[in-house]
Short mmCIF file of all heavy atoms in Angstrom, two decimals:
data_model
loop_
_atom_site.label_atom_id
_atom_site.label_comp_id
_atom_site.label_asym_id
_atom_site.label_seq_id
_atom_site.Cartn_x
_atom_site.Cartn_y
_atom_site.Cartn_z
N ASN A 909 -9.15 -8.97 -6.98
CA ASN A 909 -7.80 -9.50 -7.23
C ASN A 909 -6.77 -8.88 -6.30
O ASN A 909 -5.82 -9.54 -5.89
CB ASN A 909 -7.39 -9.23 -8.68
CG ASN A 909 -8.25 -10.00 -9.66
OD1 ASN A 909 -9.02 -10.88 -9.27
ND2 ASN A 909 -8.14 -9.67 -10.93
N ARG A 910 -6.95 -7.60 -6.02
CA ARG A 910 -6.20 -6.86 -4.99
C ARG A 910 -7.02 -5.64 -4.64
O ARG A 910 -8.10 -5.44 -5.21
CB ARG A 910 -4.79 -6.52 -5.49
CG ARG A 910 -4.75 -5.60 -6.68
CD ARG A 910 -3.33 -5.33 -7.11
NE ARG A 910 -3.25 -4.21 -8.03
CZ ARG A 910 -2.12 -3.78 -8.57
NH1 ARG A 910 -0.99 -4.40 -8.29
NH2 ARG A 910 -2.13 -2.75 -9.40
N TYR A 911 -6.53 -4.80 -3.75
CA TYR A 911 -7.38 -3.75 -3.20
C TYR A 911 -7.88 -2.77 -4.27
O TYR A 911 -8.97 -2.21 -4.14
CB TYR A 911 -6.65 -3.00 -2.07
CG TYR A 911 -5.61 -2.00 -2.53
CD1 TYR A 911 -5.94 -0.66 -2.73
CD2 TYR A 911 -4.30 -2.40 -2.76
CE1 TYR A 911 -4.99 0.26 -3.14
CE2 TYR A 911 -3.33 -1.49 -3.17
CZ TYR A 911 -3.69 -0.17 -3.37
OH TYR A 911 -2.74 0.74 -3.77
N ASP A 912 -7.10 -2.55 -5.35
CA ASP A 912 -7.51 -1.58 -6.36
C ASP A 912 -7.89 -2.24 -7.69
O ASP A 912 -7.88 -1.60 -8.74
CB ASP A 912 -6.39 -0.55 -6.60
CG ASP A 912 -5.09 -1.20 -7.04
OD1 ASP A 912 -5.00 -2.45 -6.98
OD2 ASP A 912 -4.17 -0.46 -7.45
N GLU A 913 -8.21 -3.54 -7.63
CA GLU A 913 -8.56 -4.26 -8.86
C GLU A 913 -9.75 -5.17 -8.57
O GLU A 913 -9.61 -6.20 -7.91
CB GLU A 913 -7.35 -5.08 -9.33
CG GLU A 913 -7.48 -5.67 -10.72
CD GLU A 913 -6.21 -6.39 -11.14
OE1 GLU A 913 -5.12 -5.79 -11.07
OE2 GLU A 913 -6.33 -7.57 -11.53
N LEU A 914 -10.92 -4.79 -9.08
CA LEU A 914 -12.15 -5.48 -8.72
C LEU A 914 -12.94 -5.80 -10.00
O LEU A 914 -13.13 -4.92 -10.85
CB LEU A 914 -12.97 -4.58 -7.79
CG LEU A 914 -14.10 -5.19 -6.99
CD1 LEU A 914 -14.31 -4.42 -5.69
CD2 LEU A 914 -15.40 -5.18 -7.78
N TYR A 915 -13.36 -7.04 -10.15
CA TYR A 915 -14.14 -7.47 -11.31
C TYR A 915 -15.49 -8.01 -10.86
O TYR A 915 -15.62 -8.52 -9.73
CB TYR A 915 -13.40 -8.57 -12.09
CG TYR A 915 -12.23 -8.07 -12.89
CD1 TYR A 915 -10.99 -7.83 -12.29
CD2 TYR A 915 -12.34 -7.84 -14.26
CE1 TYR A 915 -9.91 -7.35 -13.02
CE2 TYR A 915 -11.27 -7.37 -15.01
CZ TYR A 915 -10.06 -7.14 -14.38
OH TYR A 915 -9.00 -6.68 -15.12
N VAL A 916 -16.48 -7.92 -11.75
CA VAL A 916 -17.80 -8.48 -11.46
C VAL A 916 -18.27 -9.30 -12.66
O VAL A 916 -17.81 -9.08 -13.80
CB VAL A 916 -18.85 -7.38 -11.14
CG1 VAL A 916 -18.46 -6.61 -9.91
CG2 VAL A 916 -19.05 -6.46 -12.34
N GLU A 917 -19.16 -10.25 -12.40
CA GLU A 917 -19.80 -11.01 -13.47
C GLU A 917 -21.26 -10.58 -13.55
O GLU A 917 -21.98 -10.65 -12.57
CB GLU A 917 -19.71 -12.52 -13.20
CG GLU A 917 -20.35 -13.35 -14.31
CD GLU A 917 -20.42 -14.83 -13.96
OE1 GLU A 917 -21.25 -15.19 -13.10
OE2 GLU A 917 -19.64 -15.61 -14.54
N ARG A 918 -21.65 -10.14 -14.74
CA ARG A 918 -23.04 -9.72 -14.96
C ARG A 918 -23.55 -10.42 -16.22
O ARG A 918 -22.93 -10.31 -17.29
CB ARG A 918 -23.11 -8.20 -15.14
CG ARG A 918 -24.52 -7.62 -15.09
CD ARG A 918 -24.48 -6.13 -15.44
NE ARG A 918 -23.77 -5.35 -14.44
CZ ARG A 918 -24.34 -4.83 -13.36
NH1 ARG A 918 -25.62 -5.02 -13.12
NH2 ARG A 918 -23.61 -4.11 -12.51
N ASP A 919 -24.63 -11.19 -16.08
CA ASP A 919 -25.18 -11.96 -17.19
C ASP A 919 -24.14 -12.89 -17.82
O ASP A 919 -24.08 -13.06 -19.03
CB ASP A 919 -25.77 -11.03 -18.28
CG ASP A 919 -26.93 -10.19 -17.75
OD1 ASP A 919 -27.68 -10.71 -16.91
OD2 ASP A 919 -27.06 -9.03 -18.18
N GLY A 920 -23.28 -13.43 -16.97
CA GLY A 920 -22.30 -14.40 -17.43
C GLY A 920 -21.04 -13.78 -18.03
O GLY A 920 -20.15 -14.51 -18.47
N VAL A 921 -20.95 -12.44 -18.08
CA VAL A 921 -19.80 -11.77 -18.70
C VAL A 921 -19.01 -11.02 -17.64
O VAL A 921 -19.57 -10.28 -16.83
CB VAL A 921 -20.28 -10.79 -19.80
CG1 VAL A 921 -19.09 -10.07 -20.43
CG2 VAL A 921 -21.08 -11.53 -20.86
N LEU A 922 -17.67 -11.20 -17.64
CA LEU A 922 -16.80 -10.53 -16.69
C LEU A 922 -16.43 -9.14 -17.17
O LEU A 922 -16.17 -8.92 -18.36
CB LEU A 922 -15.51 -11.33 -16.49
CG LEU A 922 -15.62 -12.65 -15.72
CD1 LEU A 922 -14.26 -13.33 -15.69
CD2 LEU A 922 -16.12 -12.43 -14.32
N SER A 923 -16.39 -8.19 -16.24
CA SER A 923 -15.94 -6.83 -16.58
C SER A 923 -15.34 -6.19 -15.34
O SER A 923 -15.67 -6.55 -14.20
CB SER A 923 -17.12 -5.98 -17.08
OG SER A 923 -18.12 -5.88 -16.07
N ARG A 924 -14.41 -5.25 -15.56
CA ARG A 924 -13.79 -4.56 -14.43
C ARG A 924 -14.73 -3.49 -13.89
O ARG A 924 -15.43 -2.82 -14.65
CB ARG A 924 -12.47 -3.93 -14.86
CG ARG A 924 -11.70 -3.34 -13.70
CD ARG A 924 -10.24 -3.14 -14.00
NE ARG A 924 -9.54 -2.60 -12.85
CZ ARG A 924 -8.23 -2.47 -12.79
NH1 ARG A 924 -7.47 -2.86 -13.82
NH2 ARG A 924 -7.65 -1.98 -11.71
N HIS A 925 -14.75 -3.36 -12.57
CA HIS A 925 -15.63 -2.38 -11.91
C HIS A 925 -14.78 -1.25 -11.36
O HIS A 925 -13.68 -1.47 -10.86
CB HIS A 925 -16.40 -3.06 -10.77
CG HIS A 925 -17.58 -2.28 -10.30
ND1 HIS A 925 -17.46 -1.27 -9.36
CD2 HIS A 925 -18.89 -2.33 -10.65
CE1 HIS A 925 -18.67 -0.76 -9.14
NE2 HIS A 925 -19.54 -1.37 -9.90
N PRO A 926 -15.26 -0.01 -11.45
CA PRO A 926 -14.44 1.13 -10.99
C PRO A 926 -14.24 1.19 -9.49
O PRO A 926 -13.33 1.89 -9.01
CB PRO A 926 -15.21 2.34 -11.50
CG PRO A 926 -16.62 1.86 -11.69
CD PRO A 926 -16.51 0.43 -12.09
N ALA A 927 -15.05 0.50 -8.71
CA ALA A 927 -14.91 0.57 -7.24
C ALA A 927 -13.57 0.00 -6.80
O ALA A 927 -13.05 -0.95 -7.39
CB ALA A 927 -16.05 -0.19 -6.57
N VAL A 928 -13.00 0.58 -5.75
CA VAL A 928 -11.72 0.10 -5.19
C VAL A 928 -11.75 0.19 -3.67
O VAL A 928 -12.55 0.93 -3.09
CB VAL A 928 -10.51 0.92 -5.71
CG1 VAL A 928 -10.34 0.74 -7.21
CG2 VAL A 928 -10.66 2.39 -5.36
N PHE A 929 -10.88 -0.59 -3.03
CA PHE A 929 -10.66 -0.46 -1.59
C PHE A 929 -9.55 0.56 -1.37
O PHE A 929 -8.80 0.89 -2.29
CB PHE A 929 -10.24 -1.80 -1.00
CG PHE A 929 -11.35 -2.81 -0.88
CD1 PHE A 929 -11.68 -3.63 -1.96
CD2 PHE A 929 -12.07 -2.96 0.30
CE1 PHE A 929 -12.69 -4.56 -1.86
CE2 PHE A 929 -13.09 -3.89 0.41
CZ PHE A 929 -13.40 -4.70 -0.67
N SER A 930 -9.43 1.03 -0.15
CA SER A 930 -8.41 2.05 0.15
C SER A 930 -7.03 1.43 0.33
O SER A 930 -6.02 2.09 0.08
CB SER A 930 -8.80 2.84 1.40
OG SER A 930 -8.94 1.96 2.52
N SER A 931 -6.97 0.14 0.76
CA SER A 931 -5.66 -0.48 1.01
C SER A 931 -5.85 -1.99 1.20
O SER A 931 -6.98 -2.48 1.31
CB SER A 931 -5.03 0.10 2.28
OG SER A 931 -5.83 -0.24 3.41
N ASP A 932 -4.73 -2.71 1.24
CA ASP A 932 -4.77 -4.14 1.53
C ASP A 932 -5.38 -4.39 2.91
O ASP A 932 -6.12 -5.35 3.11
CB ASP A 932 -3.36 -4.74 1.50
CG ASP A 932 -2.85 -4.93 0.07
OD1 ASP A 932 -3.68 -4.89 -0.85
OD2 ASP A 932 -1.64 -5.10 -0.10
N ARG A 933 -5.07 -3.52 3.85
CA ARG A 933 -5.59 -3.66 5.21
C ARG A 933 -7.12 -3.60 5.22
O ARG A 933 -7.78 -4.31 5.98
CB ARG A 933 -5.01 -2.55 6.07
CG ARG A 933 -5.43 -2.51 7.51
CD ARG A 933 -4.95 -3.72 8.27
NE ARG A 933 -6.06 -4.53 8.73
CZ ARG A 933 -5.95 -5.66 9.37
NH1 ARG A 933 -4.76 -6.15 9.62
NH2 ARG A 933 -7.00 -6.33 9.75
N SER A 934 -7.68 -2.76 4.34
CA SER A 934 -9.13 -2.64 4.25
C SER A 934 -9.76 -3.94 3.74
O SER A 934 -10.79 -4.40 4.25
CB SER A 934 -9.49 -1.48 3.32
OG SER A 934 -10.87 -1.41 3.11
N VAL A 935 -9.14 -4.56 2.71
CA VAL A 935 -9.64 -5.84 2.20
C VAL A 935 -9.57 -6.90 3.28
O VAL A 935 -10.51 -7.68 3.48
CB VAL A 935 -8.83 -6.29 0.95
CG1 VAL A 935 -9.41 -7.59 0.40
CG2 VAL A 935 -8.84 -5.21 -0.12
N LEU A 936 -8.45 -6.93 4.00
CA LEU A 936 -8.27 -7.91 5.07
C LEU A 936 -9.32 -7.73 6.16
O LEU A 936 -9.85 -8.70 6.71
CB LEU A 936 -6.86 -7.79 5.65
CG LEU A 936 -6.33 -8.95 6.48
CD1 LEU A 936 -6.38 -10.26 5.69
CD2 LEU A 936 -4.91 -8.67 6.93
N GLY A 937 -9.65 -6.46 6.47
CA GLY A 937 -10.68 -6.20 7.48
C GLY A 937 -12.04 -6.72 7.05
O GLY A 937 -12.79 -7.28 7.87
N VAL A 938 -12.37 -6.58 5.76
CA VAL A 938 -13.64 -7.10 5.24
C VAL A 938 -13.67 -8.61 5.33
O VAL A 938 -14.67 -9.21 5.74
CB VAL A 938 -13.84 -6.63 3.78
CG1 VAL A 938 -14.95 -7.43 3.11
CG2 VAL A 938 -14.18 -5.15 3.74
N ILE A 939 -12.55 -9.27 4.97
CA ILE A 939 -12.48 -10.73 5.04
C ILE A 939 -12.69 -11.20 6.48
O ILE A 939 -13.45 -12.14 6.73
CB ILE A 939 -11.13 -11.24 4.49
CG1 ILE A 939 -11.02 -10.94 2.99
CG2 ILE A 939 -10.96 -12.73 4.75
CD1 ILE A 939 -9.64 -11.20 2.41
N GLU A 940 -12.05 -10.53 7.42
CA GLU A 940 -12.19 -10.93 8.83
C GLU A 940 -13.61 -10.72 9.33
O GLU A 940 -14.12 -11.51 10.12
CB GLU A 940 -11.19 -10.14 9.69
CG GLU A 940 -9.74 -10.61 9.48
CD GLU A 940 -8.73 -9.70 10.15
OE1 GLU A 940 -9.12 -8.59 10.58
OE2 GLU A 940 -7.55 -10.10 10.24
N ARG A 941 -14.28 -9.66 8.86
CA ARG A 941 -15.67 -9.43 9.27
C ARG A 941 -16.60 -10.51 8.72
O ARG A 941 -17.64 -10.78 9.30
CB ARG A 941 -16.13 -8.03 8.82
CG ARG A 941 -15.69 -6.92 9.76
CD ARG A 941 -16.46 -5.64 9.52
NE ARG A 941 -16.01 -4.97 8.32
CZ ARG A 941 -14.97 -4.13 8.28
NH1 ARG A 941 -14.27 -3.89 9.38
NH2 ARG A 941 -14.62 -3.55 7.15
N ILE A 942 -16.23 -11.10 7.58
CA ILE A 942 -17.05 -12.17 7.00
C ILE A 942 -16.84 -13.48 7.75
O ILE A 942 -17.81 -14.18 8.08
CB ILE A 942 -16.72 -12.35 5.50
CG1 ILE A 942 -17.19 -11.13 4.69
CG2 ILE A 942 -17.37 -13.62 4.95
CD1 ILE A 942 -16.72 -11.14 3.24
N VAL A 943 -15.58 -13.82 8.04
CA VAL A 943 -15.30 -15.17 8.56
C VAL A 943 -15.43 -15.27 10.08
O VAL A 943 -15.74 -16.35 10.60
CB VAL A 943 -13.89 -15.64 8.12
CG1 VAL A 943 -13.77 -15.64 6.61
CG2 VAL A 943 -12.78 -14.82 8.75
N SER A 944 -15.23 -14.18 10.80
CA SER A 944 -15.25 -14.25 12.28
C SER A 944 -16.57 -14.73 12.85
O SER A 944 -16.59 -15.60 13.73
CB SER A 944 -14.88 -12.88 12.87
OG SER A 944 -13.56 -12.55 12.54
N PRO A 945 -17.74 -14.24 12.38
CA PRO A 945 -19.00 -14.72 12.96
C PRO A 945 -19.25 -16.21 12.72
O PRO A 945 -20.07 -16.82 13.41
CB PRO A 945 -20.07 -13.88 12.24
CG PRO A 945 -19.35 -12.69 11.72
CD PRO A 945 -17.98 -13.15 11.41
N LEU A 946 -18.56 -16.80 11.75
CA LEU A 946 -18.76 -18.22 11.43
C LEU A 946 -17.80 -19.12 12.21
O LEU A 946 -17.80 -20.33 12.03
CB LEU A 946 -18.56 -18.46 9.93
CG LEU A 946 -19.45 -17.63 9.00
CD1 LEU A 946 -19.05 -17.86 7.56
CD2 LEU A 946 -20.91 -18.01 9.21
N GLY A 947 -16.97 -18.52 13.07
CA GLY A 947 -16.02 -19.31 13.84
C GLY A 947 -14.82 -19.75 13.02
O GLY A 947 -14.10 -20.68 13.40
N ARG A 948 -14.60 -19.10 11.88
CA ARG A 948 -13.45 -19.44 11.04
C ARG A 948 -12.41 -18.34 11.17
O ARG A 948 -12.70 -17.25 11.65
CB ARG A 948 -13.88 -19.62 9.58
CG ARG A 948 -15.03 -20.61 9.45
CD ARG A 948 -15.10 -21.29 8.14
NE ARG A 948 -16.11 -22.35 8.17
CZ ARG A 948 -16.25 -23.27 7.25
NH1 ARG A 948 -15.44 -23.30 6.22
NH2 ARG A 948 -17.19 -24.20 7.36
N ARG A 949 -11.20 -18.63 10.74
CA ARG A 949 -10.13 -17.64 10.90
C ARG A 949 -9.27 -17.61 9.66
O ARG A 949 -9.24 -18.55 8.86
CB ARG A 949 -9.26 -18.01 12.12
CG ARG A 949 -8.53 -19.31 11.95
CD ARG A 949 -7.90 -19.80 13.25
NE ARG A 949 -7.21 -21.05 13.06
CZ ARG A 949 -5.94 -21.18 12.71
NH1 ARG A 949 -5.21 -20.10 12.51
NH2 ARG A 949 -5.38 -22.36 12.56
N ILE A 950 -8.59 -16.47 9.48
CA ILE A 950 -7.64 -16.33 8.39
C ILE A 950 -6.44 -15.55 8.92
O ILE A 950 -6.60 -14.47 9.49
CB ILE A 950 -8.29 -15.66 7.16
CG1 ILE A 950 -7.35 -15.70 5.96
CG2 ILE A 950 -8.77 -14.25 7.47
CD1 ILE A 950 -8.03 -15.44 4.63
N ASP A 951 -5.28 -16.13 8.81
CA ASP A 951 -4.03 -15.49 9.23
C ASP A 951 -2.88 -16.19 8.51
O ASP A 951 -3.10 -17.03 7.64
CB ASP A 951 -3.87 -15.56 10.76
CG ASP A 951 -4.04 -16.97 11.30
OD1 ASP A 951 -3.53 -17.91 10.66
OD2 ASP A 951 -4.68 -17.13 12.36
N GLU A 952 -1.64 -15.87 8.88
CA GLU A 952 -0.49 -16.44 8.16
C GLU A 952 -0.42 -17.95 8.30
O GLU A 952 0.03 -18.64 7.39
CB GLU A 952 0.81 -15.80 8.67
CG GLU A 952 1.05 -14.42 8.10
CD GLU A 952 2.47 -13.94 8.33
OE1 GLU A 952 3.31 -14.77 8.73
OE2 GLU A 952 2.74 -12.76 8.12
N SER A 953 -0.87 -18.48 9.43
CA SER A 953 -0.82 -19.93 9.61
C SER A 953 -1.96 -20.64 8.89
O SER A 953 -1.89 -21.82 8.60
CB SER A 953 -0.87 -20.27 11.11
OG SER A 953 -2.09 -19.83 11.66
N SER A 954 -3.04 -19.90 8.58
CA SER A 954 -4.17 -20.46 7.84
C SER A 954 -4.64 -19.41 6.83
O SER A 954 -5.63 -18.72 7.03
CB SER A 954 -5.31 -20.80 8.82
OG SER A 954 -6.42 -21.30 8.14
#
């Protein structure tokens, strides 16, 4: 949901997970690492 708020679904039930990212920039870096090899992009215009 944001860098310090992470949920998982296990056996169909949602629960909060203790893991967190260090910052918004860290989440954005992960997103870019996922989409870049596929030729897709994410920025303010998209």
Side-chain angles (χ1 to χ4, degrees):
N909 294 349
R910 63 181 194 181
Y911 77 92
D912 59 349
E913 191 177 307
L914 196 152
Y915 286 81
V916 298
E917 181 187 72
R918 192 187 294 272
D919 298 325
V921 179
L922 289 177
S923 61
R924 187 160 181 172
H925 196 276
V928 295
F929 287 86
S930 58
S931 65
D932 284 344
R933 180 65 245 178
S934 175
V935 182
L936 197 56
V938 166
I939 294 171
E940 288 171 348
R941 278 195 285 275
I942 292 172
V943 302
S944 295
L946 303 174
R948 307 206 172 192
R949 64 191 180 89
I950 188 163
D951 52 41
E952 282 194 12
S953 63
S954 178

